[in-house]
């Protein structure tokens, strides 16, 4: 899998935009807004899967792209990539940003090669 971009919210049609999910800079720890809940998980690499990924980016939007004002937004996305495979998995140049619980979750995985990894907290 090459050059895949997961974009969660912040764009037209998602209903996860600045008009519903605008971040209040005066509130350092925001109460989750149910209208701004996104997805449970971006990608699950199951125990029996084998995968080669290169230059992939999973992004939970932290700012608006399509609607003015293009301010910061709060979207609640639980998890990024969950890797449970015992078969070969290669992740080259991967990035996951802003998931709430974890960006990369590795659980009982084997034969895993990750290089040039990037991660950014919510």
């Amino acid at each position: 899998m090459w050059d895949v971009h997961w974009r969660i919210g912040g764009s037209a049609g998602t209903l996860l935009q600045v008009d519903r999910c605008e971040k209040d800079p005066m509130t350092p720890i925001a109460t989750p807004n149910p209208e701004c809940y996104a997805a449970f998980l971006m990608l699950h690499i199951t125990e029996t899967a084998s995968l080669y990924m290169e230059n992939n980016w999973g992004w939970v939007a932290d700012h608006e792209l399509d609607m003015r004002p293009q301010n910061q937004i709060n979207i609640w996305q639980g998890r990024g990539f969950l890797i449970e495979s015992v078969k070969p998995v290669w992740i080259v140049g991967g990035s996951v940003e802003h998931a709430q619980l974890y960006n990369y979750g590795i659980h009982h995985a084997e034969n895993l090669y990750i290089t040039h990894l990037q991660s950014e907290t919510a």
Side-chain angles (χ1 to χ4, degrees):
M1 180 169 40
W2 290 267
D3 300 329
V4 175
H5 180 196
W6 291 263
R7 180 172 69 182
I8 310 297
S11 60
T14 64
L15 302 179
L16 298 167
Q17 293 185 261
V18 72
D19 59 338
R20 294 179 187 216
C21 306
E22 185 169 16
K23 179 179 181 179
D24 179 359
M26 301 308 292
T27 306
I29 300 175
T31 302
N33 176 355
E35 288 189 342
C36 301
Y37 292 168
F40 177 83
L41 177 71
M42 282 189 208
L43 175 70
H44 184 195
I45 305 173
T46 63
E47 183 178 310
T48 59
S50 182
L51 179 66
Y52 177 85
M53 296 174 63
E54 185 175 326
N55 192 35
N56 293 287
W57 181 34
W59 182 56
V60 180
D62 60 340
H63 57 85
E64 177 65 44
L65 295 177
D66 292 339
M67 184 182 286
R68 300 235 181 255
Q70 293 179 319
N71 292 343
Q72 285 192 310
I73 55 178
N74 277 333
I75 297 176
W76 282 265
Q77 155 81 33
R79 297 149 188 85
F81 294 175
L82 174 58
I83 305 164
E84 296 185 303
S85 180
V86 296
K87 295 188 176 183
V89 173
W90 297 267
I91 300 176
V92 179
S95 175
V96 181
E97 297 182 3
H98 310 139
Q100 298 294 311
L101 299 176
Y102 59 79
N103 289 322
Y104 289 91
I106 300 169
H107 184 255
H108 297 299
E110 299 175 17
N111 303 303
L112 178 60
Y113 177 80
I114 300 176
T115 185
H116 295 88
L117 177 70
Q118 191 269 338
S119 181
E120 187 173 300
T121 60

